[in-house]
Amino acid sequence: MNHKVFEVKKRFQAAKYILFDFIGSAAAWWLFHLYRKKIIEPKVFGVDVEFVLDKRFFLALLIIPLFWVLLYYVNGFYRDVFRRSRLKELGNSLVITMFGVVVIFFLLILDDYIATYKNYYQLTIILFCLQFFITYIPRLIITIRTIKAIRGGQLVFPTIIVGDGEKALELFDEMTHQVKLQGNKIVGYVSTGSRSKHALEGAVPHLGDIKDLKGIVMCNGIEEVVLALETTESRSVTKVINSLLGLNISVKAIPSLYDFLTGRVKMSSIFGVPLIQVTFDLMPAWQEKVKAIIDRVTSFFTLLILFPLMVALAFIIKCTSKGPVFFRQERIGKYGKPFILYKFRTMRPDAEASGPALSSKDDNRVTPIGRFMRKTRLDELPNFYNVLRGDMSLVGPRPERQFYIDQIVKKAPHYLHLQKVKPGITSWGQVKYGYAENVDQMIERLKYDLLYLENMSLLVDFRIILYTLITVVRGRGV
């Protein structure tokens, strides 16, 4: 199946979940409002209360379902729509419904007219039951139908095995001899190039070796990659994982590779053999969504509030040195995608006439106003435009040029792990180490950025932003 066609199917599947969640949430609120008017309020006023369908009610009928859909979205309900666990979905639905009901209670129900405090318990329980059952049951039906389609062979996931040894052959045999189909259609294998004879030769097509892995995945519309490398081939794991960064596919591996895999992983048992589900998600789904919202909102208001200051800086730059106000340069972002970085110009226009060169503390290429802006990091204010565009985040490893990345990777291949996340205006490496003046210092700073990746959270981001503000106030930038 063509990857684009598969993506369309995934979007359609997600749209079905969203549609039924919206309709179910609207129906739940309608019935809840009816319960309030026909059961609770007559006890308060002693007379029947008319169920009025006014503008306020219909507005709530729009906003409340949107609130629930947003809550489900933030918690990752609409991701991985074809590979869902019914048990996990049940648990997540219970927790999220309880959380949402508590929010609605304090925002909308707490001020309701009640005859006794027990009415609060009744209202909360009724809202929870209505919201949970009316949204969960359609979601469960869609999930069950999807599982039946997989088991019946109507829905398949083009899959390749990375490996050509005995473990790869053993895994292939187990995957292809299952009583219940798991949806994987093995289209071929990718060899490591470490042996002349392949154990999978003749059993399944040989598609190439790992240096061409990314191209193989894209050309064959691959949806799942299963790593079956031998213990002696552990060095290939990093190369494989880096090749798969940015591809919207599922990656699994045999358990013996657990200690070698990067990123957060969780165990799952599929195909009758336990495999490791490799995920490139470094934060919980809800934190990742909240981080993105904070990035955009903060950048918008920062640019709006500091616009007069930016105009003043632009005027000073133009009056004190020849050349453009803004500095534009191609940098490498998430998953290795290039983007144009915007900053206030702090150097002479001919600063890199002889080729790329990093700045230093006593760099004579830096203009007087540029030196002040670097110490206070005012030169990076246009970076907020990059964040608003989605190229960068407020917090993340600083973006580098491909010229320097190529040099870094030769000495520290694990640098490519930083490309799992969006680059940032500030970073843990920037706070703890500062600006790097050469490749060796970039590698030295790398350990702090890798530490950030292993501990990513909104709390850590807040601490880094706080330390950055302290640095700016003290004028300790480079």
Side-chain angles (χ1 to χ4, degrees):
M1 184 186 297
N2 183 279
H3 182 70
K4 290 183 178 179
V5 174
F6 196 86
E7 284 298 311
V8 171
K9 284 194 171 187
K10 286 196 333 190
R11 292 192 187 100
F12 180 69
Q13 181 83 343
K16 285 196 294 185
Y17 281 114
I18 293 172
L19 178 62
F20 279 100
D21 281 343
F22 185 91
I23 294 174
S25 299
W29 186 255
W30 184 298
L31 293 173
F32 174 71
H33 191 66
L34 183 63
Y35 175 80
R36 292 160 73 188
K37 295 298 181 181
K38 296 300 181 181
I39 305 298
I40 300 297
E41 291 189 8
K43 295 179 181 179
V44 177
F45 302 111
V47 295
D48 290 338
V49 177
E50 184 181 359
F51 183 45
V52 180
L53 303 180
D54 55 11
K55 291 183 179 179
R56 184 177 178 183
F57 169 73
F58 284 110
L59 182 62
L61 208 59
L62 173 65
I63 295 176
I64 297 299
L66 286 175
F67 162 77
W68 283 110
V69 169
L70 179 61
L71 190 60
Y72 295 141
Y73 169 76
V74 166
N75 283 275
F77 271 53
Y78 308 125
R79 299 172 62 182
D80 199 15
V81 290
F82 288 137
R83 292 293 198 187
R84 297 169 78 106
S85 166
R86 284 168 288 186
L87 186 61
K88 183 178 179 181
E89 188 169 36
L90 173 61
N92 288 343
S93 297
L94 286 169
V95 173
I96 298 306
T97 304
M98 179 60 73
F99 175 80
V101 167
V102 170
V103 173
I104 292 176
F105 174 81
F106 282 104
L107 291 179
L108 302 176
I109 301 176
L110 193 59
D111 291 333
D112 269 12
Y113 295 109
I114 60 171
T116 172
Y117 73 90
K118 291 182 180 179
N119 293 150
Y120 282 136
Y121 297 122
Q122 294 169 348
L123 288 167
T124 302
I125 292 172
I126 290 297
L127 179 58
F128 174 84
C129 291
L130 289 171
Q131 179 65 33
F132 175 76
F133 286 108
I134 297 179
T135 56
Y136 174 70
I137 291 175
R139 199 182 302 139
L140 179 62
I141 292 172
I142 296 173
T143 301
I144 290 174
R145 288 173 60 88
T146 302
I147 293 173
K148 286 184 176 180
I150 293 173
R151 298 278 169 83
Q154 292 86 32
L155 180 61
V156 296
F157 309 98
T159 304
I160 58 173
I161 296 176
V162 177
D164 50 28
E166 292 301 321
K167 288 185 177 181
L169 179 60
E170 180 182 342
L171 185 62
F172 172 76
D173 289 338
E174 293 188 26
M175 290 174 66
T176 53
H177 291 87
Q178 295 299 303
V179 176
K180 292 184 178 180
L181 296 177
Q182 301 294 330
N184 288 83
K185 179 184 177 182
I186 302 177
V187 300
Y189 74 96
V190 176
S191 61
T192 62
S194 60
R195 55 179 61 84
S196 57
K197 187 176 181 180
H198 302 161
L200 283 173
E201 190 172 352
V204 65
H206 179 216
L207 302 178
D209 56 37
I210 56 176
K211 71 175 184 296
D212 303 315
L213 180 58
K214 186 172 184 177
I216 292 170
V217 169
M218 297 178 69
C219 290
N220 292 275
I222 302 301
E223 295 298 326
E224 292 198 5
V225 174
V226 182
L227 309 185
L229 301 175
E230 304 294 324
T231 304
T232 56
E233 297 171 331
S234 59
R235 290 185 178 180
S236 300
V237 176
T238 299
K239 185 185 297 184
V240 170
I241 296 299
N242 288 340
S243 298
L244 299 176
L245 285 175
L247 300 178
N248 188 22
I249 60 173
S250 174
V251 182
K252 299 180 177 71
I254 55 177
S256 59
L257 294 177
Y258 182 86
D259 293 332
F260 305 110
L261 293 173
T262 58
R264 295 182 180 178
V265 298
K266 58 181 180 180
M267 296 298 296
S268 63
S269 181
I270 61 172
F271 315 124
V273 59
L275 293 175
I276 294 172
Q277 174 71 51
V278 183
T279 174
F280 301 118
D281 299 329
L282 300 172
M283 300 176 74
W286 71 270
Q287 288 198 32
E288 187 178 340
K289 297 295 190 302
V290 172
K291 177 181 171 72
I293 293 172
I294 292 174
D295 283 344
R296 299 291 178 90
V297 172
T298 302
S299 297
F300 175 79
F301 283 105
T302 299
L303 291 172
L304 186 66
I305 294 171
L306 297 183
F307 181 73
L309 174 61
M310 295 176 68
V311 171
L313 288 172
F315 179 76
I316 295 172
I317 293 169
K318 198 66 179 176
C319 292
T320 56
S321 64
K322 295 182 180 180
V325 170
F326 294 103
F327 172 75
R328 301 174 179 86
Q329 190 175 73
E330 184 177 273
R331 298 290 176 96
I332 303 302
K334 187 177 182 180
Y335 300 143
K337 294 180 181 178
F339 70 96
I340 301 300
L341 177 77
Y342 294 90
K343 298 175 67 174
F344 281 124
R345 181 176 58 83
T346 60
M347 291 187 176
R348 301 192 311 264
D350 61 346
E352 292 191 335
S354 301
L358 294 170
S359 180
S360 60
K361 291 182 179 180
D362 301 318
D363 199 327
N364 57 14
R365 299 174 300 167
V366 180
T367 63
I369 183 62
R371 198 170 300 281
F372 168 76
M373 286 193 295
R374 281 172 171 249
K375 284 187 176 181
T376 55
R377 295 195 179 176
L378 292 174
D379 63 316
E380 294 175 359
L381 286 179
N383 282 180
F384 285 101
Y385 174 67
N386 286 113
V387 178
L388 197 61
R389 283 168 50 97
D391 299 324
M392 295 175 61
S393 177
L394 294 178
V395 180
R398 286 295 295 172
E400 297 293 348
R401 283 181 276 181
Q402 189 64 54
F403 176 82
Y404 290 109
I405 291 176
D406 292 339
Q407 296 181 53
I408 296 170
V409 170
K410 290 179 181 178
K411 297 182 178 181
H414 47 288
Y415 173 87
L416 292 178
H417 295 320
L418 299 187
Q419 294 180 359
K420 292 179 181 178
V421 299
K422 288 182 181 180
I425 294 179
T426 186
S427 69
W428 191 240
Q430 195 86 336
V431 169
K432 297 291 289 184
Y433 191 88
Y435 289 98
E437 298 181 6
N438 53 57
V439 172
D440 289 334
Q441 289 185 7
M442 286 180 172
I443 295 173
E444 181 67 21
R445 188 178 63 187
L446 174 61
K447 62 184 180 183
Y448 296 107
D449 288 327
L450 289 174
L451 185 64
Y452 168 72
L453 260 62
E454 291 298 320
N455 297 276
M456 279 185 69
S457 70
L458 293 177
L459 180 60
V460 171
D461 279 10
F462 177 76
R463 291 178 60 190
I464 292 173
I465 291 173
L466 183 62
Y467 286 133
T468 301
L469 292 175
I470 293 173
T471 300
V472 170
V473 171
R474 293 179 178 178
R476 293 168 59 181
V478 175

